Every structure is written in structure tokens, then in C-alpha cells.
Amino acid sequence: MSTVDGRVIRVALLGCGTVGGEVVRLLTEQAEELAARAGTRVELAGIAVRRPDKHPELPPELVTSDVTKLVTSPDVDVVVELVGGIEPVREWLLDALKAGKSVVTANKALMAEHSAELFEAADASGVDLYFEAAVAGAIPLLRPLRESLAGDRITRVMGIVNGTTNFILSAMDSTGAGYAETLEEASRLGYAEADPTADVDGYDAASKAAILASLAFHTRVTASDVHREGIADVTASDLAAAKVLGRTVKLLAICERVTADDGTESVAARVHPVMIPRGHQLAGVGGAYNAVYVEADAAGELMFYGQGAGGAPTASAVLGDLVAVARNRVVGGRGPRESAHAALPVRPMGQTPTRYHVSLDVADRAGVLAQVAQAFAGHGVSIAAVRQRDANDTASLVVVTHLAPDAALRSTVDDIAGLDVVNQVVSVMRVEGEDQ
Ligand SMILES: NC(=O)c1ccc[n+]([C@@H]2O[C@H](COP(=O)([O-])OP(=O)(O)OC[C@H]3O[C@@H](n4cnc5c(N)ncnc54)[C@H](O)[C@@H]3O)[C@@H](O)[C@H]2O)c1
Ligand SMILES: N[C@@H](CCO)C(=O)O
Ligand code: NA
């Protein structure tokens, strides 16, 4: 094993919970190998936690609750932030960057709202800002977008980026387990955020979509630009309706470059439940796994798959970033800066082209299909497929549309719900992928 000329990079770790605890373990267990790879020793200078008395496992001389002092200490080169949330973390990281410390963070909420300000502070000090763990945990995804694909033109990024909701939907689909019990299990396994509403209501995935869209399309996209729907309204009826069609339901983040008829480009970013064919590669992604498709003009389709949550997998991405910072320090260089030169406008959800699946319980009599079809036609929505099944004096009618502006599809569903011949709208969901 190579030695490292006595050089040392000193790390301030903020937060020592699910992910931070694993970072400490890996930094300690792999100290020699990391030194050989980075070209410098990587050592802990301090660990900030909310309650030092709760961490008897950590070396007491390293533990502190004084974050402000730690992040600006002259003894620190890099701040690794694994606390989460926006304030006071934003202030701490700005202080750290202004004091010339590089930053590694897993904080998607912060990066989705304040990355511009953080990048500016990093630029002013000539230091690094890395955040691979913020999206899709262990999966190398941000580095490929920022570096490997920097020479290509990305058109679409679509995937499963929240482990907790994927865990819940997979369990509901395969075992019929209830929503509450699977959410409890996801929390126990360390996938869910401290407040799981961030996961189930789609905020976590929307933050990740904002980060992905920003990197893919060289445009500043924040979480508030992302259309967001969670899984709280996904019912057993939706899953059953999907099953009948040979489909399943996944919460997807979809970031697209949309080109209008006049050639102008915009960015659309959304998170919502989607019905996809069971044969689709994303349908087979179970448990807390994540998978993301990237489509680019020259590269074609790429798929990234792996563990998107959990202590050790997320720590793997953090350590990778830390080694990158250490290497940059050794050679006196920097990692990639913010790339927002395209500055494309963000397209509102209503104007974003989507496809709907609508499952209806209708009266079983002549002319029903014509009335339903008329409602679609009235909004300029073209129908791709219709299935009808009779049962006693009612019938089930399933309509799958072609692409149409989301607002037109929503208005159509509102009109259909008001038709006398429609007893119940059983399930409405957007669809992706072609049936086999
Ligand atoms: N758990 C995962 O699977 C996962 C995956 C990817 C990204 N992340 C992100 O990693 C970050 C950490 O997640 P986690 O699951 O390890 O969280 P956690 O709740 O397990 O740990 C948080 C840590 O922060 C410390 N902390 C909280 N408030 C503090 C304060 N005011 N001062 C000092 N310390 C404070 C706590 O003491 C604790 O050690 C979050 O940004 C999260 O979104 C987590
Ligand atoms: N709560 C997140 C952690 C990873 O960011 C998830 O379930 O995917
Ligand atoms: Na990642």
C-alpha cells in the first residue's frame, strides 16, 4: 500500500445518524485504502451532533454540539453535512464555504432550493460542492450527469427515486399488505425520513427531480417548479385496475426537455404515481431500490439501478465525494461548478403532455361508450385503447389515451365524472410505456 507523504485532509462531520454513523465506520475501517486512493489521509477533525451524550460510541474528543465553531475551524478542510433540512444547515454550509471549506452533502431538500447560492459561495472561495448521495443514494447518477454526459444532450430523466414509497407500493402490489404497516417497516429499516410525509407526499422525490432536471438540462430548477403528487391517494382500486391491464403502479420522477411546435424548448419536471406495464424495466424494481433512465441524443438510453436509501449505501456515495474532494485538494484543482447556462423556462404541468388511464363503472346500456368518447373528443384528447366488461346491469370501462396536455386530460375526467351514465370513476392515473 502506498504511503501519502504526511498529507492530511481534515473532515468535519455534521450529523451522525443513519448515514453519518456509517460514514464514521467506513472512514475508520478503510482509512489506509482511502489514503492510498485519495493521495492523502482523510481524518475526522470533529463530529457535530445534537445530543453528544447520546453518542458514547464516538471518540469524546471529536464530539461537539457547537456546529458553527466546527465548520469554520482552521483545523477543518471539508465539511460533510448529514443532518438534513434547510435551516440552520444552509447557514452552516454558507459559513463553511465562505471560510474556504469544501462541502459534501446528502441534503436534497437544501440542494433543491438553495444550490445556486451554495455554488456561488463555493466559486467565490474556489472550493468544491459535491452531493452524489442527495439523489438515489448509492447509485452513481449525479457524477454521470455532471461529468460523463457533459458532452451529450440529455432529453429525459425518468425513474424511481424514493425508496420508501417504492417499498410501500411494491409491498401493496405483491402481498396486499396495508399502507400503515409497510410505512412502519420502511421507517424501521432507515429508508423513510424522520418525518415520512416528505416521502409519501412526494416532497423527497420532487427535490430529487429538481436536482436531476437542473443537472440534465443546465437550468436552475427548484422543488417548487416540480409538479408533485404523492402516494397517499393510491388505492387498492388503483392497484387492482392496474393488475387487470397487466400494469403496476410506481411513483416516478419524470424530467423532460419539451420542444414546442415552433422549436422553442422548455423543461418539465413532475413526480406522481404512474401505471407502467409489468414488462417495463421499472416495474421489476422492488423494495427500497431506485432505478433511473437517462435518454441522451448520442448515448441513447442508459439505466442506473441500485440502493437508493439506507445508511451504508448512502455512505458509499458520501465517501466517493469525499475522495473526489481530497484528490482535488492534492492536485490543487476543483470539481465541476454549477452549469445553468441553458436557463430554459419551466413548463407548467397543465401544458405538459401526458397520457391517462381512466377506469369507470358505467351503466350497461346503449350509447354509454359514445358519451364517454364524446367527452374525450370535446377536449381534443385522442383515445388509444378502450376495454369494456359487463357485470349484471353495470359495466366497467377502461380508457387509455394518447398524449395530450395534462390540463385537457384533467378537464375530460371532470366532465366524465359528471355524466349520468357514469356510476363511479374507479381509478384515474397517468401511464407510461407501451403494453406488450
Ligand atoms: N437515510 C437515508 O437512507 C438517506 C439516503 C440519502 C440521503 N439521506 C440524507 O442524509 C441526511 C441524513 O439523513 P439520516 O437518515 O442519517 O438522518 P438521521 O436523522 O438519522 O441523522 C441526523 C443527524 O443529525 C444530527 N442533528 C440533527 N439536528 C442537529 C443540530 N441542530 N445540530 C447538530 N446535529 C444535529 C442528529 O443528532 C443526527 O445525528 C439527510 O439530508 C437525508 O435526507 C438519507
Ligand atoms: N427517504 C429517502 C432516503 C433516500 O434519499 C427514500 O426513501 O428514498
Ligand atoms: Na447517488
Side-chain angles (χ1 to χ4, degrees):
M1 199 167 293
S2 66
T3 55
V4 194
D5 303 340
R7 275 192 295 248
V8 178
I9 295 283
R10 302 276 289 163
V11 179
L13 176 64
L14 314 187
C16 197
T18 306
V19 183
E22 286 299 306
V23 166
V24 172
R25 181 180 68 80
L26 293 170
L27 266 180
T28 311
E29 286 178 10
Q30 301 182 16
E32 296 306 320
E33 280 188 78
L34 290 173
R37 289 175 202 162
T40 171
R41 294 196 71 79
V42 182
E43 287 181 3
L44 281 166
I47 305 173
V49 292
R50 198 202 305 263
R51 295 277 310 270
D53 57 307
K54 299 272 182 196
H55 291 275
E57 80 286 7
L58 299 174
E61 68 280 9
L62 292 183
V63 180
T64 179
S65 59
D66 191 344
V67 185
T68 311
K69 190 169 164 205
L70 180 63
V71 296
T72 53
S73 161
D75 187 35
V76 165
D77 300 299
V78 189
V79 171
V80 174
E81 184 273 307
L82 299 170
V83 170
I86 293 182
E87 297 296 354
V89 175
R90 186 187 68 94
E91 289 290 342
W92 294 337
L93 297 190
L94 285 172
D95 285 351
L97 292 164
K98 285 174 188 160
K101 324 294 182 192
S102 287
V103 164
V104 172
T105 178
N107 191 328
K108 53 248 152 173
L110 180 68
M111 288 307 295
E113 286 298 342
H114 297 285
S115 60
E117 185 182 17
L118 293 165
F119 272 121
E120 271 163 31
D123 271 354
S125 296
V127 294
D128 284 328
L129 175 59
Y130 282 100
F131 44 104
E132 181 60 72
V135 183
I139 306 171
L141 179 59
L142 305 192
R143 189 166 279 106
L145 291 176
R146 289 173 92 185
E147 300 184 40
S148 321
L149 292 164
D152 209 335
R153 185 174 173 278
I154 296 172
T155 49
R156 199 162 200 246
V157 181
M158 174 175 93
I160 295 166
V161 294
N162 182 267
T164 303
T165 47
N166 200 54
F167 184 85
I168 293 170
L169 290 174
S170 305
M172 285 172 75
D173 183 66
S174 61
T175 67
Y179 176 81
E181 65 188 277
T182 39
L183 174 57
E184 212 169 90
E185 176 78 346
S187 298
R188 197 182 58 73
L189 291 168
Y191 305 143
E193 300 294 312
D195 175 2
T197 54
D199 294 304
V200 298
D201 289 343
Y203 289 99
D204 176 87
S207 292
K208 291 165 175 169
I211 295 170
L212 291 172
S214 299
L215 299 183
F217 306 123
H218 305 275
T219 289
R220 284 181 185 165
V221 179
T222 62
S224 50
D225 293 323
V226 180
H227 174 84
R228 176 191 54 78
E229 294 170 33
I231 64 164
D233 296 332
V234 176
T235 61
S237 302
D238 291 322
L239 284 158
K243 236 172 209 169
V244 169
L245 291 178
R247 289 177 170 258
T248 188
V249 177
K250 294 289 187 191
L251 184 74
L252 297 188
I254 304 174
C255 310
E256 293 164 306
R257 187 191 287 273
V258 182
T259 308
D261 293 341
D262 65 1
T264 55
E265 288 192 330
S266 56
V267 168
R270 52 196 164 106
V271 167
H272 52 70
V274 182
M275 276 187 192
I276 53 174
R278 282 187 182 270
H280 194 289
Q281 272 174 301
L282 290 177
V285 177
Y289 277 79
N290 285 187
V292 179
Y293 271 109
V294 177
E295 290 172 29
D297 277 354
E301 262 192 20
L302 303 162
M303 187 170 176
F304 298 83
Y305 171 80
Q307 297 197 64
T314 307
S316 164
V318 172
L319 266 285
D321 282 353
L322 198 45
V323 169
V325 170
R327 286 176 172 159
N328 295 341
R329 292 246 162 178
V330 168
V331 298
R334 287 184 65 199
R337 302 162 58 188
E338 185 188 29
S339 176
H341 63 88
L344 297 174
V346 177
R347 200 176 181 90
M349 183 63 183
Q351 292 170 28
T352 299
T354 63
R355 293 173 60 205
Y356 271 34
H357 156 280
V358 183
S359 176
L360 304 170
D361 182 349
V362 295
D364 191 9
R365 60 170 194 262
V368 172
L369 186 55
Q371 282 192 47
V372 171
Q374 182 53 42
F376 281 95
H379 291 279
V381 176
S382 158
I383 292 173
V386 179
R387 273 191 200 197
Q388 191 165 2
R389 230 186 24 215
D390 299 334
N392 302 325
D393 56 348
T394 67
S396 90
L397 192 62
V398 174
V399 180
V400 179
T401 74
H402 283 301
L403 279 174
D406 199 77
L409 289 158
R410 275 176 183 257
S411 304
T412 307
V413 172
D414 289 346
D415 284 2
I416 285 172
L419 292 175
D420 284 348
V421 294
V422 173
N423 301 330
Q424 198 196 346
V425 178
V426 178
S427 168
V428 178
M429 203 167 282
R430 299 183 186 91
V431 295
E432 287 287 332
E434 299 306 322
D435 290 306
Q436 308 300 311

